Amino acid sequence: MSRDDDHTASDLSHLRGGEAPRNHDARTIAALTANPGCARRGVMDAAAVDKDAVARHLGFAAPFGQSQFAITRGNAFEAQVKADGCAELLALLRDRLGLEIPEVSYDDLESVGTESREVRHARTRHLMARALESGDGTLFDHPLLRLDIAGQRAYLEPDVIAFQLGGRFHVVEVKSFAVVDGQAEPEQVAAAARQSAVYVLALRELVEGLGHDPERVSHEVFLVCPENFSNRPTATPVDVRPQLAVVRRQLARLTRAEDIAREMPDGLTFALGDGLPEAVRAVEARYAPECMSSCEMALFCRDEARACGATGTLGRSVRDELGGVDSVVTALELARGVREPSEDMAETAEQLRVAARLRREALASAPAPAVPARGAVPPA
């Protein structure tokens, strides 16, 4: 490690308050793409700060997370699908999707789980290299993958399978939410697709690093869920190309860790102590209601945004429509014509004045609501 790398690592450790870095998983990496303009999230994620611990210390614990019952049910369903060398999964892929799957081999890379992450990743690379060269090897359970996140190495330990069919690998994602009458909750499917796209990207980088075409990893993943209200699994192919493009683009835009560390105020630290609220507020946030489902800091940032009347509390689309107007009070003053807009806000101010005039005209032309006579019985 170079002296500059040592300096950067020291700076990032100081930002974390000396705590160990939090390893990203597919969910947190997928969530990075949800709000790329938020400097606060960019700093904390690049430094691998435990945002959940920070939010709890501030009194704004994250509003999401699975219950213990859901985790237990999910683990049981996954174990069922993968039992006996994934016999049920293979039967499902053959019968439900009509795939012609020959005799298979099964490797569980979690069998070296007591070793270091580097050893497990090396084992993954070795088995994948052998499969790419010879065509042997069908199922690889719990492969340990890596991605570069803002200049920092993140290890992914997915509960997924790399499934080789016809010379191409597919990600198989096992989820415990139900598919009822062929339909599943759209938000849950979208989240699963984003996470699967992260795995596809990481698996493609591994394949490319071994000197092979990354397209050997298919953009089509197989989503395995319980069918209706039973534990009987069903499989659905999902094309994750749109999610893959978004994840790749947003990860490329993330600021590198050394740039983050260089731009932070001297002495800034997210250590859990009395100075934490001031440290968090020292880095600008870009809150939107969508953050509530993906960021541990969402409740704190929402409270802060509401206190200062930020337009982001009205939704990302409203904030984007208002351009550079980041305050609700400013937007109302521009709409009423009581504030002179700056040059860069002139067009937005004109649109706001037109919208305000149309609203006044609509209200003026609307018929007054009928007031029932005293004692009259309103219609059913």
Side-chain angles (χ1 to χ4, degrees):
M1 182 180 288
S2 68
R3 183 174 299 177
D4 287 343
D5 290 338
D6 284 333
H7 183 67
T8 298
S10 176
D11 289 342
L12 295 178
S13 178
H14 183 72
L15 282 173
R16 292 192 298 270
E19 298 293 330
R22 181 184 180 184
N23 187 50
H24 285 292
D25 57 26
R27 185 189 67 82
T28 61
I29 292 174
L32 290 175
T33 67
N35 197 356
C38 181
R40 181 176 296 165
R41 175 156 198 166
V43 169
M44 300 181 84
D45 282 330
V49 173
D50 187 342
K51 299 195 300 297
D52 183 59
V54 170
R56 282 188 279 107
H57 187 84
L58 293 170
F60 292 89
F64 52 83
Q66 282 187 306
S67 67
Q68 190 58 49
F69 172 78
I71 293 173
T72 301
R73 181 176 183 274
N75 291 339
F77 179 70
E78 181 184 333
Q80 171 195 329
V81 170
K82 295 182 179 180
D84 301 320
C86 294
E88 187 168 8
L89 172 65
L90 288 169
L92 178 66
L93 295 176
R94 287 188 181 109
D95 299 341
R96 181 58 61 89
L97 301 181
L99 300 178
E100 295 183 4
I101 303 174
E103 293 301 314
V104 302
S105 63
Y106 173 81
D107 293 281
D108 186 358
L109 282 88
E110 201 175 37
S111 61
V112 292
T114 56
E115 304 289 345
S116 69
R117 291 182 298 182
E118 288 77 10
V119 171
R120 285 189 59 195
H121 181 67
R123 173 69 171 161
T124 300
R125 284 178 58 87
H126 171 72
L127 290 178
M128 289 292 293
R130 186 185 67 185
L132 288 162
E133 292 292 342
S134 66
D136 298 332
T138 309
L139 291 170
F140 300 93
D141 197 1
H142 295 104
L144 187 64
L145 309 173
R146 285 195 319 214
L147 270 180
D148 185 81
I149 307 297
Q152 298 294 297
R153 181 174 293 171
Y155 286 91
L156 304 178
E157 303 184 47
D159 294 329
V160 301
I161 297 168
F163 168 61
Q164 185 174 205
L165 180 66
R168 299 191 77 190
F169 288 91
H170 298 73
V171 166
V172 179
E173 178 77 347
V174 182
K175 291 294 186 182
S176 60
F177 59 81
V179 175
V180 181
D181 293 332
Q183 301 291 323
E185 179 65 37
E187 290 186 5
Q188 291 178 315
V189 174
R194 287 193 297 270
Q195 292 181 28
S196 297
V198 173
Y199 296 139
V200 169
L201 180 60
L203 197 56
R204 283 186 172 182
E205 289 195 1
L206 186 149
V207 168
E208 187 174 20
L210 292 170
H212 293 268
D213 183 0
E215 294 298 321
R216 290 282 297 272
V217 180
S218 175
H219 58 262
E220 185 176 69
V221 306
F222 298 122
L223 187 60
V224 178
C225 302
E227 188 173 28
N228 296 325
F229 299 101
S230 69
N231 276 336
R232 183 177 67 250
T234 185
T236 306
V238 179
D239 187 339
V240 297
R241 276 179 293 186
Q243 293 83 2
L244 190 60
V246 171
V247 170
R248 185 184 291 112
R249 182 172 63 252
Q250 301 297 6
L251 287 183
R253 290 177 57 185
L254 284 176
T255 306
R256 293 186 61 82
E258 54 265 33
D259 297 330
I260 290 280
R262 191 182 304 116
E263 294 175 3
M264 290 300 97
D266 292 339
L268 180 70
T269 178
F270 298 115
L272 305 183
D274 294 339
L276 182 60
E278 290 73 21
V280 172
R281 292 191 179 97
V283 185
E284 184 180 0
R286 187 174 171 83
Y287 172 78
E290 293 85 351
C291 298
M292 296 296 291
S293 63
S294 62
C295 182
E296 295 88 340
M297 295 296 298
L299 282 176
F300 177 86
C301 296
R302 183 181 68 175
D303 182 76
E304 180 185 55
R306 285 177 172 176
C308 65
T311 55
T313 60
L314 303 176
R316 190 171 295 154
S317 60
V318 174
R319 182 186 62 198
D320 293 343
E321 285 289 334
L322 290 175
V325 182
D326 56 6
S327 166
V328 173
V329 171
T330 301
L332 291 174
E333 290 177 346
L334 290 172
R336 294 166 182 158
V338 298
R339 174 190 283 261
E340 189 65 29
S342 59
E343 185 176 345
D344 60 327
M345 291 186 184
E347 184 176 350
T348 299
E350 177 60 26
Q351 293 173 346
L352 286 170
R353 286 193 291 269
V354 170
R357 177 175 56 79
L358 292 174
R359 178 180 181 275
R360 289 194 301 270
E361 292 173 357
L363 292 176
S365 62
V371 180
R374 181 173 296 179
V377 179

